[in-house]
Amino acid sequence: MRTEEAIIYSYGFATIASAIPAYSKRGDIVFVDEAACFAVQKGLQASRSNIKFFRHNDMADLERLLKEQEKEDQKNPRKARVTRRFIVVEGLYMNTGDICPLPELVKLKYKYKVRIFLEESLSFGVLGDHGRGVTEHFRVNIEDIDLISANMENALASIGGFCCGRSFVIDHQRLSGQGYCFSASLPPMLARAAIEGLNIMEDEPDIFQILRKKCQHIHKALKGISGLKVVGESISPAFHLQLARSLGSRESDVRLLQDIVEYCMTRKVALTQARYLEKEEKNLPPPSIRVVVTVEQSEEDLDLAASLIKEAAQLLIH
């Protein structure tokens, strides 16, 4: 990642969930995208900070909140001097498959003097010429980001996670990151697997271009299927299929999507519904089928999957 230092966690979920409360405390202010994943939400909850959600990837709405806070700060300058402000976003959103507009976020960071926490669990190992994530994708200087976190359970096919940034930022987590202090180290076998994954990323940078082409291929194949809509960027390897029109209740929608999943599973194409803790989610996403593309899948595999999903949709969606 070309940062000064990194810290390793033994559980992917705990990485960002521990990193946020290590820095943001009661009385601090966090501006967070409403589509943030559950791990981010748990980190915000543990921080006990003042949370302000902005509309998904809506920089105008975020700037509105920042301006409002700026006016509040002018009323009480003494309090404002000791209040820390953070923006928390995902590089590639787990719940939507969208990429965050990082260059615009960096501009707002310097304009309103806030810090950026970037969660890259899906974008690391996917975006950028060498898989370094959304900073490399947008050619943003990584020093403009205060903290980057990612788990190693997606692209690296291991367990655990890491945070990286400046040395003084990372050192703080060694005593303040609860998921780091109160846990064991990674199992040696899985640590070795993660290292090998990093070696592959470094030695075979062509895989990222191959993956992008396969993502665009499956997106194009799935678009236009009657009754379903594709949600997510065309270069995202994890995206969603939602019903174009709800049946009227969440339970009915879930049941129909599960029928599509089972139809494909019995024909040797593995799909899964996106699962959520419905009573815990701050903004519960609509029911969806999560589609994941890997670099090892052939175009024939992708075409088979797309044709089966289309076949299931024609048969089951009325």
Side-chain angles (χ1 to χ4, degrees):
M1 295 296 286
R2 294 176 175 169
T3 58
E4 292 178 8
E5 199 163 339
I7 187 171
I8 302 295
Y9 286 76
S10 58
Y11 178 35
F13 185 95
T15 306
I16 189 65
S18 298
I20 291 172
Y23 302 97
S24 185
K25 308 293 184 182
R26 190 190 298 273
D28 294 333
I29 299 166
V30 185
F31 302 91
V32 58
D33 193 295
E34 65 181 8
C37 66
F38 194 61
V40 169
Q41 294 175 41
K42 290 291 105 177
L44 296 170
Q45 186 178 350
S47 75
R48 299 175 294 177
S49 302
N50 181 12
I51 312 302
K52 298 190 176 186
F53 287 94
F54 59 90
R55 288 192 292 272
H56 178 50
N57 271 355
D58 189 335
M59 295 300 98
D61 192 45
L62 171 58
E63 186 163 21
R64 176 185 63 81
L65 292 175
L66 291 166
K67 283 180 179 176
E68 288 177 1
Q69 186 57 46
E70 192 175 53
K71 290 177 183 177
E72 287 295 316
D73 291 344
Q74 290 169 358
K75 296 176 184 177
N76 192 344
R78 182 177 294 179
K79 181 183 177 183
R81 279 196 294 271
V82 297
T83 300
R84 289 166 292 196
R85 299 162 196 80
F86 303 90
I87 296 173
V88 178
V89 292
E90 293 178 54
L92 184 56
Y93 283 88
M94 177 78 69
N95 291 343
T96 66
D98 294 326
I99 299 172
C100 75
L102 191 60
E104 295 175 56
L105 285 161
V106 171
K107 289 178 184 176
L108 292 175
K109 166 193 169 164
Y110 288 113
K111 184 176 180 180
Y112 294 97
K113 297 178 175 61
V114 294
R115 299 175 175 92
I116 295 179
F117 284 3
L118 183 59
E119 216 294 310
E120 294 228 60
S121 289
L122 267 185
S123 49
F124 176 74
V126 170
L127 297 180
D129 295 338
H130 301 87
R132 293 192 180 99
V134 73
T135 52
E136 189 178 49
H137 176 72
F138 283 115
R139 305 289 194 268
V140 168
N141 188 338
I142 203 162
E143 292 183 1
D144 291 331
I145 310 303
D146 297 278
L147 183 74
I148 292 176
S149 76
N151 72 43
M152 299 186 290
E153 298 165 7
N154 296 322
L156 297 184
S158 183
I159 66 168
F162 66 87
C163 289
C164 59
R166 293 183 179 88
S167 294
F168 74 91
V169 174
I170 299 304
D171 280 342
H172 180 72
Q173 289 186 55
R174 301 193 193 282
L175 293 177
S176 299
Q178 293 184 353
Y180 180 83
C181 296
F182 302 105
S183 70
S185 61
L186 278 175
M189 180 185 73
L190 292 168
R192 181 64 222 173
I195 291 169
E196 186 58 30
L198 292 171
N199 290 339
I200 293 170
M201 287 171 58
E202 190 170 343
D203 296 340
E204 302 176 32
D206 291 347
I207 61 175
F208 302 109
Q209 186 63 32
I210 294 168
L211 179 61
R212 278 192 286 276
K213 287 180 180 177
K214 290 183 177 180
C215 292
Q216 290 166 340
H217 181 85
I218 190 68
H219 270 254
K220 185 177 179 181
L222 290 173
K223 278 192 172 179
I225 293 179
S226 179
L228 293 175
K229 63 177 179 179
V230 180
V231 178
E233 299 276 351
S234 63
I235 59 173
S236 171
F239 58 94
H240 297 259
L241 289 174
Q242 295 176 1
L243 293 175
R245 183 180 299 174
S246 173
L247 298 181
S249 71
R250 187 175 184 88
E251 293 75 18
S252 300
D253 292 350
V254 167
R255 202 176 306 117
L256 176 54
L257 290 172
Q258 188 58 34
D259 289 342
I260 294 174
V261 168
E262 290 173 1
Y263 183 93
C264 294
M265 288 283 279
T266 57
R267 290 156 180 81
K268 299 184 179 180
V269 171
L271 297 174
T272 182
Q273 278 202 71
R275 301 293 183 182
Y276 307 99
L277 293 172
E278 297 185 9
K279 294 181 180 178
E280 298 286 332
E281 288 279 350
K282 180 67 178 177
N283 294 288
L284 182 63
S288 66
I289 295 170
R290 181 173 283 138
V291 180
V292 178
V293 182
T294 72
V295 74
E296 291 296 324
Q297 292 165 334
S298 66
E299 286 198 3
E300 291 74 19
D301 295 332
L302 298 175
D303 289 336
L304 172 63
S307 65
L308 274 176
I309 292 169
K310 184 175 182 180
E311 189 178 298
Q314 290 173 341
L315 186 67
L316 299 169
I317 299 175
H318 306 293

